[in-house]
Amino acid sequence: MYPYIQSRFYRSPEVLLSLPYDEKIDMWSLGCILYELHTGDPIFNGTSEQDQVFKISETFGLPPDYMMEKGRKTSSYFKKPAQGMAWERVATTKVYKGVRQRKLSEMLGSNTGGPGGRRKKELGHAPSDYGKFEDLLSRLLDIDPKTRMTPSEALDHEFLRRSESSSSKAPAAPSSSSAAAAAGGAPAAAGGGMDVDAPQDGSWSGGQKRSVSGRASV
């Protein structure tokens, strides 16, 4: 097991907790990459592993008990005030939103025209299209690897199918069975029109080297 198998922005909860991992970590990375391809910004841009874990918890909550109890790094992020009480984040000088208080729909601008409102009224960017995208991301970014979406489930997701709001020239849903195909096809297939949004200054934020799998390149 390698503690730095993934670049921090794309590091899965099981790796952050120093738990055994398998190919499910790539599905987590894929979810992070799909969000970034559409918005131009990393979904979780932690400056440290603790910061990364806390930012994940703001949107998707805390890991289940079995992960907390077995994780070798759990004490770096969470504590149990007393026996029988719920886990909570350790104290820190940095202020974070409450658990699950950072809503994915608001981050994507699902009901306000996409990131920064830049896609308002564009084909394939209706709230219903974003609803499908949100569902795909939430299943790819399931904290629990036991219930996280598989590659075959991702390729069969309705987000990758044409919708009534898509154009007649929209590309067909990808037929490849690889997760890499999903990474390349999903942003362009969102309702037939959802595409990549680069930051306004033309640069990608974060400053880290990226690969399709989210694996560290150094």
Side-chain angles (χ1 to χ4, degrees), residues 4-192:
Y4 300 108
I5 185 133
Q6 297 169 293
S7 299
R8 187 190 309 125
F9 290 177
Y10 316 99
R11 200 168 294 164
S12 63
E14 55 267 42
V15 173
L16 287 162
L17 287 169
S18 195
L19 286 163
Y21 57 81
D22 56 21
E23 68 279 359
K24 287 292 187 73
I25 67 174
D26 290 324
M27 301 309 290
W28 177 275
S29 296
L30 174 59
C32 295
I33 290 168
L34 291 180
Y35 176 93
E36 186 170 344
L37 283 173
H38 186 60
T39 66
D41 294 300
I43 186 170
F44 306 119
N45 59 345
T47 57
S48 66
E49 286 200 322
Q50 185 187 74
D51 191 40
Q52 190 74 10
V53 170
F54 287 1
K55 287 183 175 181
I56 291 171
S57 73
E58 287 181 321
T59 302
F60 295 110
L62 305 185
D65 285 349
Y66 85 89
M67 293 179 69
M68 296 285 213
E69 292 164 0
K70 295 181 179 179
R72 290 188 294 173
K73 289 186 176 180
T74 297
S75 61
S76 298
Y77 319 123
F78 306 106
K79 65 178 181 179
K80 250 187 179 180
Q83 187 67 27
M85 295 186 70
W87 291 92
E88 60 183 44
R89 296 179 298 204
V90 299
T92 177
T93 56
K94 186 171 181 177
V95 178
Y96 292 91
K97 289 188 177 183
V99 173
R100 294 185 182 275
Q101 293 303 302
R102 186 173 176 241
K103 303 300 182 183
L104 185 59
S105 60
E106 296 174 2
M107 295 158 62
L108 288 170
S110 299
N111 298 305
T112 55
R118 296 189 296 274
R119 300 298 184 186
K120 194 171 185 179
K121 297 183 178 179
E122 285 189 14
L123 197 64
H125 292 75
S128 59
D129 297 312
Y130 274 104
K132 296 173 185 178
F133 192 32
E134 285 177 43
D135 184 70
L136 176 64
L137 291 180
S138 64
R139 294 181 64 191
L140 288 170
L141 297 173
D142 187 337
I143 289 179
D144 190 346
K146 291 182 178 180
T147 53
R148 193 174 300 152
M149 180 176 267
T150 65
S152 59
E153 289 172 339
L155 289 171
D156 194 44
H157 193 274
E158 61 178 344
F159 173 76
L160 299 181
R161 301 172 189 162
R162 294 186 185 185
S163 70
E164 292 181 0
S165 65
S166 65
S167 70
S168 60
K169 296 182 179 179
S175 58
S176 171
S177 60
S178 69

